[in-house]
Amino acid sequence: MTTTTAKPALEVAPFKNERVKDFKDPADAAAMNAALETVKGRLGEHYPLVIGGRKIETEKKIRSVNPAQPQQVVGLTSSASKDEATEAIDAAAQAFTSWRHTTLPERAAYLFKAAQLLRERRFEYDALLVYEVGKSWSEADGDIAEAIDFLEYYAREALRYAQPQPVVPFEGERNELVYIPLGVGAIIPPWNFAGAIMIGMTSAAIVCGNTVVLKPSSDAAVVAAWFVDLLHEIGVPPGVVNFIPGAGSEIGDLIVTHPEIRFISFTGSKEVGLRINELAAKPQPGQKWIKRVVAEMGGKDSIIVAADADLDAAVEGVAVSAFGFQGQKCSACSRAIVEAGVYDEFLEKLKRRVATMTVGDPRDPGNFMGPVVNEGALRSIMRYIERGQSEGRLVAGGRRAREDGYFVEPTVIADVDPKATIAQEEIFGPVLAVIKAMDFEDALAIANNTEFGLTGSLYTSDEQKIARARDEFFVGNLYFNRKSTGAMVGVHPFGGFNMSGTDSKAGGRDYLLLYMQAKSISRKV
Ligand code: NAD
């Protein structure tokens, strides 16, 4: 078996989060402007599939465009057919026969190297996210900082699992428990944390000794292509990470149902996650295992504002959580549930705060919000806004902010019924429903009334309310007197309850266990 119990070969400092840049430092701003120019020079490049280390150009391409200027092509990636997806799974299975015999510390060393290179190229990656998914400078940097954190954190976690695991001593036997990899996995990330989630899921899988096929989101395929190149540059062997962009509708089912696939690590919408879970549950001819599915899905996240809250802090927390990255975070606040006593004052203050939010091309750091990711998202968000106007009172926004890209105004709809469509369905855009609660009891009941359970916040100065919420606010990530977004690796392990997913707690101590199985070994002595 593998030498997973080997002593770590590396001495490493304790994990520390990367500091996210605010770009007030003129040197950082200059570096970012230079990176935006450099990356502009690379727009429109072609990126092949990578299968068993071979680069394969296909005729069919996926066009990744800049949502702020949709005529600008960020890159063209080859698009895998069913045959190529099958080849990629075969290549991963072949590579697994040797990769599984490397040690956890050896594999951790690759992650440390990847983190270092990503750090050196941080501004270029930041700039790419500005072009590819419409992130503001600081949102883009937060995404890449989190990606570096995942690499650093999972590398250290791998070293921890390489240590002897405690088992109860038993006379006459020598017993041990070692963690071994699962096999070939499918990595299916979303576009919204195009760097962090894609890199986090891929690196967690491979550091545990698995090999993978990485099927990126078509809206963020270029950043995934860059990362796959980086992995090959640092010497990750061919076949360990196979890169197969392609339409989910075309190759998704094949990947998920292939009998050689041992696990699927998915982050994305509830609809796709549930479909994957269902398909993966049915054993296929030749399949020897129950597939493991890690599915992190959508949210409909609430911030409760109690009557005793610091109202200015609550307004700021709600505004930033609702409209940062255009509301396109699974943790975004899409419902503010406000106690009746402060409802009118809260709304007035929120309206004033939202009026200061600028929307425009995210290359300009003066813009707080950029575009939403694509035309489909734009249409869907505008439909929800229309619906919302019949379900409540439009207080701010409600229109496209500009016609030259997919820009939507930060939109606030007040007096929304807790069961209304815009209070229940994930919109994934800059639309906030404000709901009046009779009192705290009512607010808590409303907060728990969706099928989701991802993040939630409570603004209050009342310890009793904090204690109640601690017990009864049913979300995977609960915050007090702070925004509902911005979970940090290691600090706030992340994952939701109910239809928000399998609660995998990315960036936490339980996460790598999802990519391994434990082998108990006993020898009579
Ligand atoms: P999505 O479900 O549309 O796509 C996610 C991934 O699945 C993409 O790579 C896509 O190509 C692929 N896919 C689509 N159809 C498929 C199929 N039939 N089979 C296999 N794969 C398929 O989601 P999205 O729009 O990329 O991301 C936004 C969603 O992700 C939101 O719902 C958001 O809340 C959620 N999200 C959740 C978390 C979390 O940690 N819970 C984090 C980020 C995003």
Side-chain angles (χ1 to χ4, degrees), residues 1-2 4 96 99-101 107 179-183 205 208-210 515-517:
M1 204 67 268
T2 60
T4 43
F96 183 61
W99 185 245
R100 65 192 271 262
H101 290 299
R107 298 189 297 260
Y179 287 107
I180 65 170
L182 294 170
C208 292
N210 306 292
Y515 298 88
M516 296 189 285
Q517 51 200 338

Side-chain angles (χ1 to χ4, degrees), residues 133 143 150 185-203 205 212-225 227-228 241-248 251-252 255-256 264-269 272-273 276 294-297 428 511 515:
V133 290
D143 191 327
F150 277 134
I187 305 293
I188 309 179
W191 52 265
N192 73 328
F193 280 85
I197 296 181
M198 178 270 299
I199 290 175
M201 299 198 317
T202 307
S203 60
V212 301
V213 293
L214 166 60
K215 194 217 80 59
S217 162
S218 301
D219 288 310
V222 173
V223 63
F227 182 64
V228 170
V241 177
N242 301 278
F243 181 58
I244 47 164
I251 59 169
I255 298 170
V256 169
I264 297 131
S265 183
F266 166 84
T267 306
S269 62
V272 175
I276 287 175
V294 178
E296 292 311 308
M297 313 192 299
F428 223 56
Y511 193 68
Y515 298 88

Side-chain angles (χ1 to χ4, degrees), residues 149-288:
D149 281 351
F150 277 134
L151 290 162
E152 292 278 351
Y153 186 84
Y154 293 147
R156 285 170 176 77
E157 280 294 288
L159 298 181
R160 182 166 71 83
Y161 283 111
Q163 297 293 319
Q165 300 298 312
V167 285
V168 173
F170 187 71
E171 210 182 316
E173 287 183 7
R174 196 162 62 233
N175 295 313
E176 59 178 325
L177 182 129
V178 295
Y179 287 107
I180 65 170
L182 294 170
V184 177
I187 305 293
I188 309 179
W191 52 265
N192 73 328
F193 280 85
I197 296 181
M198 178 270 299
I199 290 175
M201 299 198 317
T202 307
S203 60
I206 66 171
V207 82
C208 292
N210 306 292
T211 57
V212 301
V213 293
L214 166 60
K215 194 217 80 59
S217 162
S218 301
D219 288 310
V222 173
V223 63
W226 280 26
F227 182 64
V228 170
D229 269 353
L230 184 150
L231 290 179
H232 288 116
E233 205 178 318
I234 61 169
V236 171
V240 171
V241 177
N242 301 278
F243 181 58
I244 47 164
S249 54
E250 206 177 314
I251 59 169
D253 287 2
L254 178 137
I255 298 170
V256 169
T257 56
H258 194 290
E260 193 69 47
I261 290 289
R262 173 68 178 82
F263 68 95
I264 297 131
S265 183
F266 166 84
T267 306
S269 62
K270 180 192 85 174
E271 290 69 24
V272 175
L274 290 182
R275 179 182 170 77
I276 287 175
N277 195 43
E278 187 178 342
L279 286 177
K282 187 171 164 30
Q284 302 296 324
Q287 183 181 322
K288 288 197 287 190

